Amino acid sequence: MSDILTSAFLISVLVGAVRAGTPLLFATLGEILTQRAGVLNLGVEGMMIVGALAGFMGSYYLHSPWIGVLTAMLCAGLISLVHAFLCITLKSDQVVSGITLVLLGVGLTSFIGEAMVGKTGYGFEPLHFPILSDIPFLGQVLFQYNILVYLSVLIVLLLWFFLFRTRLGLEILAVGENPATADTLGIPVDRIRYICVFIGGMLSGLGGCFLSLAYTRIWVDQMTAGRGWIAIALVIFAAWTPQRALIGAYLFGGIEGLQLRLQTAGVGVSYHLMQMMPYLATILVLLFSAREKFRRKIGAPEALMKPYMRGARE
């Protein structure tokens, strides 16, 4: 009997890790792409919450979760262009601009989403794979999620291949390492940075709409609850590589899932301690990003947070 309970508990924690880690994974992948091009976007939280509301409203009013996904990605991508314009065109401070994006996203969604609080939208149902889903333990852990979970894993593979095995991906890496040299080779630095920020914003929006269309299927004000800050910390944990982001996202998701399961089992876990994690991660991100030796040691892009001005001396 104890073995059955232990197995059920382990399954619930692992499933919870994947479900809770998927929105983190989407946002982390988007930020990896953005930072690989040399732009730090601390506005992930703002883009996620915009994606969560836009996706929920698109799904709710147009009766299709896929329309909700497209709406979320488009709206989050558009709001990310505010950051791109400030940092790439106007050469503004990337940290200040990113925090501004968070405040903008949280404020807009609190105002616009007030009428949507408590409503239930059209979300994604778990898939069932014949034979595979019925395998004891493995079937429950691997083959009973909604399609967005499997899409996130596919994006990990595609992003890895794109960045490290294609010409355009290598151009992005060059822009993030040495934009001046890339410019002399005819690579459009600003255009590539704009595109990466926009796609990064779209992936963050996808992570946000996962929360409102697959994780909870309702709209709750500020439902991202600091996940955007965790995603930023995960970029460093993953050393700017998509495959490590997968591990990190599920690890952080596992912490959340474990907390919920322990509380359900009657084991006391400080909720306030768990709530501190996003803010601690944010402080660590800012500290680590400011230390050149640490950034070089773990493989951070050399030009990260450095605005590029053609003709300016290093």
Side-chain angles (χ1 to χ4, degrees):
M1 185 67 177
S2 60
D3 291 340
I4 296 175
L5 292 176
T6 301
S7 178
F9 180 79
L10 181 59
I11 289 173
S12 67
V13 170
L14 292 176
V15 170
V18 174
R19 294 183 70 248
T22 298
L24 296 175
L25 180 57
F26 280 126
T28 303
L29 294 174
E31 185 64 10
I32 286 175
L33 180 62
T34 301
Q35 292 193 23
R36 278 293 186 177
V39 180
L40 173 68
N41 189 352
L42 293 182
V44 177
E45 179 81 3
M47 295 182 294
M48 286 187 74
I49 194 66
V50 166
L53 178 60
F56 183 81
M57 292 182 69
S59 172
Y60 182 82
Y61 288 113
L62 298 176
H63 310 294
S64 171
W66 284 111
I67 293 179
V69 167
L70 295 176
T71 305
M73 295 179 70
L74 178 60
C75 290
L78 289 175
I79 199 173
S80 73
L81 291 179
V82 175
H83 180 70
F85 177 72
L86 291 173
C87 298
I88 300 172
T89 302
L90 300 184
K91 316 300 180 186
S92 301
D93 186 280
Q94 295 180 11
V95 173
V96 175
S97 176
I99 294 175
T100 301
L101 207 63
V102 174
L103 299 176
L104 176 63
V106 171
L108 277 176
T109 54
S110 294
F111 176 72
I112 298 174
E114 185 176 0
M116 305 301 296
V117 174
K119 296 184 182 298
T120 303
Y122 295 82
F124 291 93
E125 298 291 341
L127 301 176
H128 180 79
F129 299 91
I131 301 177
L132 294 177
S133 297
D134 299 323
I135 299 174
F137 190 82
L138 288 179
Q140 294 173 280
V141 173
L142 299 177
F143 300 110
Q144 292 190 3
Y145 303 104
N146 64 75
I147 193 170
L148 294 183
V149 173
Y150 301 106
L151 178 62
S152 68
V153 178
L154 177 61
I155 293 177
V156 169
L157 299 175
L158 292 176
L159 184 58
W160 172 83
F161 182 82
F162 171 73
L163 283 176
F164 302 104
R165 293 294 185 271
T166 68
R167 178 172 179 173
L168 181 56
L170 295 176
E171 288 181 352
I172 292 172
L173 298 181
V175 167
E177 293 295 332
N178 194 325
T181 301
D183 194 10
T184 60
L185 295 174
I187 299 174
V189 175
D190 285 357
R191 185 190 307 169
I192 282 180
R193 286 186 167 181
Y194 260 96
I195 292 172
C196 288
V197 171
F198 179 71
I199 296 177
M202 292 177 70
L203 288 173
S204 293
L206 183 54
C209 81
F210 182 91
L211 294 171
S212 58
L213 298 182
Y215 195 63
T216 62
R217 298 182 63 175
I218 60 172
W219 167 251
V220 179
D221 189 31
Q222 299 188 37
M223 68 185 307
T224 49
R227 288 178 174 85
W229 301 113
I230 296 177
I232 296 171
L234 280 174
V235 175
I236 291 178
F237 178 88
W240 290 267
T241 56
Q243 64 273 25
R244 293 185 183 179
L246 180 69
I247 299 172
Y250 289 164
L251 177 62
F252 271 76
I255 294 173
E256 180 179 340
L258 181 61
Q259 176 208 9
L260 296 174
R261 270 64 187 181
L262 289 176
Q263 289 179 343
T264 303
V267 180
V269 178
S270 175
Y271 174 76
H272 300 289
L273 179 63
M274 303 300 292
Q275 287 291 91
M276 289 171 56
M277 289 182 59
Y279 307 102
L280 292 175
T282 305
I283 295 172
L284 290 174
V285 167
L286 295 176
L287 288 174
F288 292 155
S289 297
R291 301 177 67 175
E292 286 289 335
K293 290 183 178 180
F294 181 84
R295 287 169 53 191
R296 290 176 181 174
K297 184 177 180 180
I298 62 175
E302 285 289 331
L304 184 62
M305 299 177 63
K306 298 177 182 178
Y308 174 65
M309 290 175 280
R310 178 177 290 182
R313 295 185 176 181
E314 294 289 337

